[in-house]
Amino acid sequence: MSELYHLTLSEAREKLLDREISASELTAACLGRIERSEPEIRACLTVMAEQAVQTAAELDRRGPDPERPLWGLPLGLKDLYCTKGVRTTAASRMLENYVPAYDAHVVSKLKEAGAVLMCKTNLDEFAMGSSTEFSAFGLTRNPWDQSKIPGGSSGGAAASVAAYQTPGGLGTDTGGSIRQPAALCGCVGLKPTYGRVSRYGILAFASSLDQAGPLARRVRDVAWLLKVMAGPDDRDNTCSTRPAEDYPSAAPGKLKGLRLGLPQELWEARLDPDVAEVVKKAFAALEAAGAVLIPMAMPNLRYSVAAYYILATAEASTNLARFDGLRYGRRSEKPRDLTELYTASRSEALGPEVQRRILLGTFALSAGYYDAYYQQAARVRRLIRDDYFQALDRCDFLLAPVSSLPAWDFGRFAHDPVTVYQLDLMTLPVNLAGLPALSLPAGLGPRSGLPVGLQLIGRPFDEMNLLGAGLAFEEAFPPLL
Amino acid sequence: MSDLEAVIGLEIHCQLKTATKLFCSCQARSGDEPNSHICEVCSGQPGALPRLNGRALWLAAKAGLALGCQVQEVSIFSRKNYFYPDLPAGFQTSQLDPPVCLGGALSIGPEDDPLLIRLNRIHLEDDAGKCVHDEARGQTLVDLNRAGTPLIEIVTEPDLRSSAQTAEFLKKLHALLVHLEVTEGRLEEGEFRCDVNISLRPRGAAWFGTRCEIKNLNSFRHAAQAVAYEAVRQESLLAQGLEVSQETRLFDPVRQETRSLRSKEEAHDYRYFPQPDLPPVLISGEMLEKIRAEMPEPPEKVKARLKGLGLTDEQAERLLDRRRAAEYFDAARLALEEPKRLATLMVELLLPACQRAGLDPPDCRLAPRDLAALARLMADNTLSRRAAYEIFPELFEKGGDPAAVAAARGLLQVSDSGAIEALAAEAIAAHPEEAEKYRQGQEKILSFFVGQVMKKSRGAANPKLAGEVLAGLLNQ
């Protein structure tokens, strides 16, 4: 483990500031790692090698700057973040050659903070999926076992971090898209509170659920990334005006006396034996350390998958209306009329899962169905939120599985989209409630040898304490990477 | 139409007078190079998000207050989904429930017997871009400069009964919103346009017939003509025992008729739902107080005030019709306590000139105090009416002190009795026979001498004064 690319983000950060290593050296090491691992892992859709080398050289010329929290750190971006002048595809044929004219708010903040942007990572098309298999540009493999999926939709981001291509990366989480791939690849992943991070310039899937967040190999690392990502942005009216906090200064919490609520509706779901085994050990370890585990009934969680797939697809159906083949993106050749221009361009360029969700969402919003579906789902969402708030009144954090399965084989659910939707039960209620959640590695499954994760769910805008608790967990459950 | 009456409701789209668009900071102005005022937000680029222009909300609330609406503390933006090339995001951001204002009314007709036209609501929304059809090349081009421009849509209850009422209502609403500076209201730019819903029913019935909607009428005259045509068309259908089918129609001003655009079955399902990118819109009591404080005098009050100053009904209306004319008038009046003459100058000279130049009176080069000075020169006979009209175009074009301009052109009337006396004496000396005739009682000959003095002064002498001076000299 002597290679530079093995350094965690926090370790690399200190060495960079101490001038022990240069930004160019670290960038070169990571680029080399990308070059060697990509043929197998295929986490990246675009590698910005030339640009990264230039940025690093420029940073080195000026010297380390402690005022820039991510100075010299190589990072990956899920290919859903607009990057000025760099192709941004959302893993869709529709945007195969789309080059944004502007940077997402978060991307500008990373640049200001001195980060070196390395690659645009793979995802399920428009972030719709749980395995990254719906990317129009090919599979990403799980670095732990290349016959397995890396999770999704931020599968490229998680695989890239787990393959040591970069010390950290950015994903987005609409129903678990950061937490689940982080768990399946043995990373740490944070879904911040809705409104904690600006969504400006991130391709929208479901606007009221989408939230950008970091993935890395340590809790402190995601804290550094969040420090830069979080905070107000007047270009996103749903972004909170609360200033960001100094998350890396979060003090490790104490497991002794920590009250952890266990949502019964999730724990009673059928867990894969490997997952169950790791969890059992984890519970024992937590109790041994003095944590108090409190089973909690959250009855409305059982409706969360249904409610989520109505709300998320309804929003998605209109968010994706702009991909009409007119102003940018793929346009069908020689359509006979305007209607055919729309239908052919969209049918040719959008993948099966995206089309499925657009149809579902369009249906849910249609005249005569709106009350029965969208309105009803919106009411269920409020009940789920109430369940969470009541539960969080009775404990410090909620503790839940991230995925009922460890990373699975490619193609396993290819003909069974509904089962895959149901796998999201562990993660998506948190998005419905807008709460922050931290996905942490809990150990390796004894049979599969694959990572299993747990998530801590906190109160709105309480990322500081959530990260503190994460640090305590990290001591109890050693990092896998 | 003896036994049937038309039932008419309007949806008026009015462009708000803001510097920037509703959801981004692009300039809200039309007429420039196509696609020169666009950004990632108003051109529907991936990832871009809307941010509400507070000024637009302010103006919508202001219109609501002036129209007696209940301005809503909380209103919600919704997405109205449909595909069209001029709609970059694939949805319009509008308001469904609740909109920014509910209720309200505007009265038309004589002051002593007004007809109250109730409003249903006012909501905020963004405009679409424009498709330009290039027939020669068989192409359709899209200009997104207008995309994202802020509009309010004012929806009336079906309280109008005729084309005349429709036109009167639209004119009055337009004048009010222009007066409030809620809109520039340029009809030719489509800044104030309406859709008309019309149906027929037996006079006095309490139910509604099947209605048609006539889209996109951008002049008062066209609205009235469309209503008139449509009433006749529907009546003749009913007279033949046929049914009116619910549909959307377009008015063709050249052929003076409406034509079917799409039937009820072809109507869009807009799939409205709350716009998740925009939180609920809040209007505080404090904000409403501030808006009330900046509210100008309502037009009826301005009109009453102007008439109180001695202006005729027509003059007062002309000043109210032209945007910001009353403001100019009031500024000019500060420099001159003779409102009637000022009003005449404005109605006869300034307003037509502004109309031609496409300027609001306060924006023209001729300052209010200089127009007041012009009126004063006329009042004290220093400048003849003819001379005033002669120098006006130059004053309007370049501005400046009217006395100086008139003097430079030698048009000032000489009211200096010494100078006139010298000219008068000269004239009498040159025409001893005529002078004798005058003295013998032919007083009409005085006008001959006035003419001589005017000639010698090259028209600059004040003729009344010249007459007095001449009479004095001749009678000596």
Side-chain angles (χ1 to χ4, degrees):
Chain A
M1 294 286 253
S2 60
E3 301 288 348
L4 285 184
Y5 56 76
H6 280 128
L7 294 171
T8 67
L9 187 142
S10 303
E11 288 165 352
R13 192 177 167 277
E14 281 187 15
K15 288 187 192 295
L16 285 163
L17 288 182
D18 292 347
R19 295 176 187 267
E20 220 177 289
I21 57 172
S22 72
S24 296
E25 284 166 341
L26 184 59
T27 296
C30 289
L31 281 174
R33 178 68 181 172
I34 289 174
E35 201 179 322
R36 285 188 301 280
S37 57
E38 262 310 89
E40 288 164 358
I41 304 300
R42 301 196 303 211
C44 304
L45 295 176
T46 303
V47 178
M48 299 178 264
E50 206 171 310
Q51 187 182 325
V53 168
Q54 270 176 21
T55 306
E58 180 60 29
L59 290 170
D60 282 333
R61 227 179 338 267
R62 295 195 198 164
D65 182 353
E67 298 295 307
R68 303 173 79 183
L70 303 177
W71 192 92
L73 290 168
L75 298 175
L77 291 172
K78 186 179 189 177
D79 204 16
L80 204 59
Y81 288 79
C82 281
T83 42
K84 187 175 180 175
V86 176
R87 182 175 91 115
T88 299
T89 67
S92 178
R93 290 272 168 226
M94 179 58 89
L95 296 178
E96 193 165 4
N97 298 308
Y98 178 70
V99 178
Y102 75 109
D103 273 329
H105 176 76
V106 168
V107 173
S108 329
K109 299 252 284 190
L110 293 181
K111 286 181 175 174
E112 280 165 30
V116 180
L117 304 180
M118 303 287 281
C119 51
K120 304 290 296 280
T121 52
N122 201 9
L123 63 152
D124 289 294
E125 185 177 3
F126 288 106
M128 297 178 184
S130 310
S131 65
T132 313
E133 290 168 292
F134 287 120
S135 168
F137 306 120
L139 307 169
T140 292
R141 296 200 174 104
N142 191 316
W144 290 84
D145 177 344
Q146 292 184 15
S147 67
K148 312 283 185 197
I149 55 112
S153 68
S154 309
S160 177
V161 168
Y164 299 96
Q165 292 183 343
T166 54
L170 269 50
T172 61
D173 192 316
T174 306
S177 281
I178 289 173
R179 289 163 288 154
Q180 184 255 26
L184 267 41
C185 291
C187 305
V188 177
L190 174 68
K191 182 207 105 66
T193 311
Y194 184 79
R196 179 66 295 178
V197 177
S198 165
R199 295 184 293 115
Y200 196 81
I202 302 169
L203 273 70
F205 160 16
S207 311
S208 73
L209 301 159
D210 293 345
Q211 188 58 204
L215 298 96
R217 297 193 287 268
R218 296 290 180 279
V219 173
R220 187 85 69 197
D221 298 353
V222 299
W224 277 111
L225 292 170
L226 182 65
K227 177 186 167 83
V228 172
M229 298 171 72
D233 173 16
D234 58 16
R235 291 179 301 175
D236 176 0
N237 281 182
T238 64
C239 188
S240 170
T241 52
R242 285 165 186 252
E245 293 173 75
D246 185 26
Y247 303 107
S249 71
K254 290 201 168 43
L255 290 180
K256 190 169 170 54
L258 188 70
R259 292 174 312 146
L260 297 169
L262 307 176
Q264 287 312 284
E265 286 68 20
L266 304 184
W267 287 110
E268 282 163 7
R270 217 176 68 199
L271 299 180
D272 176 272
D274 246 22
V275 174
E277 195 111 341
V278 171
V279 161
K280 208 167 110 190
K281 273 196 201 157
F283 282 5
L286 286 168
E287 285 187 316
V292 186
L293 303 181
I294 314 165
M296 287 189 175
M298 296 176 65
N300 293 301
L301 289 194
R302 78 180 67 131
Y303 306 116
S304 54
V305 173
Y308 174 91
Y309 275 94
I310 287 167
L311 297 172
T313 59
E315 293 182 17
S317 71
T318 93
N319 278 334
L320 269 62
R322 64 187 56 196
F323 305 112
D324 56 9
L326 282 177
R327 293 164 308 285
Y328 49 77
R330 169 85 61 111
R331 182 188 293 185
S332 181
E333 308 273 329
K334 298 205 175 83
R336 273 171 306 188
D337 56 22
L338 183 62
T339 305
E340 193 177 297
L341 189 155
Y342 287 136
T343 54
S345 301
R346 288 165 70 78
S347 299
E348 289 165 18
L350 298 175
E353 182 60 23
V354 171
Q355 292 196 29
R356 181 154 44 232
R357 294 197 193 194
I358 288 174
L359 290 172
L360 203 55
T362 302
F363 177 78
L365 290 176
S366 299
Y369 298 99
Y370 178 79
D371 288 348
Y373 293 103
Y374 183 88
Q375 286 278 46
Q376 185 73 356
R379 277 192 285 270
V380 169
R381 178 180 192 169
R382 285 193 286 277
L383 293 175
I384 289 170
R385 192 176 302 174
D386 292 346
D387 274 5
Y388 270 107
F389 284 117
Q390 280 166 21
L392 283 165
D393 276 345
R394 297 192 289 135
C395 62
D396 297 313
F397 300 97
L398 291 163
L399 180 66
V402 184
S403 170
S404 49
L405 296 176
W408 56 86
D409 292 331
F410 288 108
R412 173 164 168 193
F413 298 111
H415 303 291
D416 194 0
V418 175
T419 301
V420 183
Y421 294 173
Q422 279 159 354
L423 291 176
D424 291 345
L425 169 66
M426 302 298 168
T427 46
L428 59 78
V430 168
N431 299 74
L432 290 171
L435 301 173
L438 183 63
S439 169
L440 298 153
L444 296 178
R447 271 166 287 262
S448 63
L450 291 170
V452 171
L454 283 173
Q455 58 179 329
L456 283 169
I457 300 153
R459 295 175 180 78
F461 299 99
D462 195 22
E463 279 82 1
M464 204 63 172
N465 285 316
L466 186 64
L467 290 162
L471 291 168
F473 264 67
E474 201 167 55
E475 280 171 27
F477 310 103
L480 302 177
L481 292 163
Chain B
M1 288 298 275
S2 56
D3 51 346
L4 292 176
E5 67 176 0
V7 177
I8 301 156
L10 304 176
E11 294 165 19
I12 297 111
H13 291 88
C14 171
Q15 184 177 326
L16 297 175
K17 188 180 174 183
T18 57
T20 57
K21 293 184 178 181
L22 186 53
F23 297 121
C24 62
S25 50
C26 291
Q27 287 182 68
R29 48 185 287 188
S30 52
D32 288 343
E33 182 78 7
N35 297 313
S36 57
H37 302 301
I38 60 171
C39 69
E40 64 261 21
V41 177
C42 58
S43 68
Q45 298 295 307
L49 296 174
R51 51 189 181 278
L52 180 61
N53 178 340
R55 184 69 193 158
L57 181 65
W58 181 281
L59 292 177
K62 190 175 177 183
L65 283 180
L67 288 163
C69 309
Q70 298 121 36
V71 179
Q72 302 297 296
E73 248 174 90
V74 181
S75 62
I76 305 270
F77 277 104
S78 284
R79 291 185 185 175
K80 178 181 179 180
N81 299 287
Y82 64 96
F83 285 96
Y84 202 69
D86 64 11
L87 191 70
F91 57 80
Q92 181 186 26
T93 299
S94 182
Q95 294 189 303
L96 185 66
D97 183 31
V100 65
C101 303
L102 283 170
L106 184 66
S107 66
I108 57 171
E111 277 160 41
D112 50 359
D113 183 22
L115 176 64
L116 203 63
I117 309 302
R118 292 165 304 151
L119 303 183
N120 175 286
R121 58 192 272 137
I122 300 177
H123 67 249
L124 266 167
E125 61 186 24
D126 59 354
D127 208 346
K130 270 181 187 163
C131 285
V132 184
H133 303 286
D134 182 342
E135 304 283 348
R137 279 189 285 178
Q139 286 181 329
T140 297
L141 304 168
V142 181
D143 175 9
L144 295 178
N145 280 352
R146 201 182 64 179
T149 305
L151 303 176
I152 45 174
E153 180 174 334
I154 301 168
V155 182
T156 75
E157 296 293 349
D159 288 351
L160 293 159
R161 294 289 175 270
S162 70
S163 63
Q165 285 179 3
T166 302
E168 187 188 347
F169 176 83
L170 286 172
K171 269 186 207 164
K172 192 161 180 193
L173 181 65
H174 178 260
L176 174 68
L177 296 176
V178 166
H179 175 77
L180 290 171
E181 296 196 60
V182 162
T183 183
E184 301 257 1
R186 288 172 301 199
L187 299 170
E188 64 283 1
E189 305 283 346
E191 291 176 357
F192 188 90
R193 55 191 197 259
C194 81
D195 303 338
V196 172
N197 282 283
I198 170 170
S199 61
L200 298 187
R201 69 179 175 191
R203 195 170 299 280
W207 46 271
F208 297 113
T210 305
R211 69 188 155 85
C212 289
E213 181 181 20
I214 309 155
K215 284 290 226 198
N216 234 349
L217 298 157
N218 63 0
S219 84
F220 307 137
R221 198 158 49 96
H222 289 170
Q225 287 167 343
V227 165
Y229 173 86
E230 189 59 20
V232 171
R233 187 187 72 88
Q234 292 188 13
E235 191 189 14
S236 88
L237 282 175
L238 295 174
Q240 293 167 59
L242 299 170
E243 282 180 8
V244 174
S245 51
Q246 187 177 333
E247 60 187 359
T248 302
R249 301 178 70 85
L250 278 184
F251 178 65
D252 178 343
V254 177
R255 301 173 66 175
Q256 287 287 312
E257 61 180 30
T258 65
R259 279 199 299 271
S260 181
L261 180 68
R262 58 177 174 260
S263 69
K264 185 187 173 189
E265 289 71 30
E266 296 164 303
H268 294 294
D269 175 0
Y270 289 120
R271 290 173 283 121
Y272 277 99
F273 79 109
Q275 158 63 298
D277 291 326
L278 293 165
V281 178
L282 307 178
I283 296 180
S284 64
E286 193 189 349
M287 178 172 160
L288 286 183
E289 279 317 304
K290 283 186 187 157
I291 297 174
R292 276 199 192 94
E294 73 156 39
M295 204 76 108
E297 246 180 315
E300 311 85 74
K301 284 212 180 137
V302 179
K303 189 173 168 188
R305 184 167 61 78
L306 292 177
K307 284 172 75 177
L309 291 170
L311 271 59
T312 65
D313 213 53
E314 199 205 327
Q315 285 178 327
E317 268 171 24
R318 291 286 298 278
L319 289 187
L320 277 167
D321 274 355
R322 182 83 201 169
R323 198 162 52 125
R324 300 179 68 197
E327 178 190 326
Y328 187 98
F329 176 78
D330 285 333
R333 221 161 55 76
L334 292 177
L336 177 80
E337 271 304 324
E338 203 175 346
K340 282 201 269 184
R341 194 182 295 272
L342 257 185
T344 307
L345 279 179
M346 283 191 68
V347 168
E348 292 185 5
L349 295 175
L350 186 75
L351 296 184
C354 284
Q355 174 82 36
R356 280 192 297 274
L359 286 173
D360 289 344
D363 297 335
C364 76
R365 293 231 168 108
L366 180 59
R369 74 182 135 74
D370 291 329
L371 188 74
L374 184 64
R376 198 181 307 110
L377 290 174
M378 292 170 73
D380 64 14
N381 284 319
T382 311
L383 196 62
S384 68
R385 187 181 131 89
R386 213 193 81 221
Y389 278 55
E390 193 177 320
I391 63 170
F392 184 82
E394 181 183 339
L395 286 174
F396 184 77
E397 198 176 314
K398 298 179 184 156
D401 175 17
V405 173
R409 293 217 206 161
L411 289 173
L412 279 186
Q413 296 189 15
V414 178
S415 296
D416 170 352
S417 52
I420 289 178
E421 221 171 279
L423 295 173
E426 268 178 45
I428 293 169
H431 300 282
E433 284 174 27
E434 283 79 3
E436 194 47 41
K437 281 181 190 164
Y438 177 84
R439 290 190 189 106
Q440 285 168 3
Q442 288 191 41
E443 292 193 0
K444 276 193 276 179
I445 214 135
L446 184 64
S447 57
F448 164 77
F449 280 108
V450 172
Q452 291 300 309
V453 170
M454 295 307 288
K455 203 168 158 187
K456 281 177 188 291
S457 73
R458 288 200 222 116
N462 179 333
K464 193 162 163 249
L465 190 60
E468 285 166 15
V469 169
L470 281 162
L473 286 175
L474 288 167
N475 289 331
Q476 268 176 11

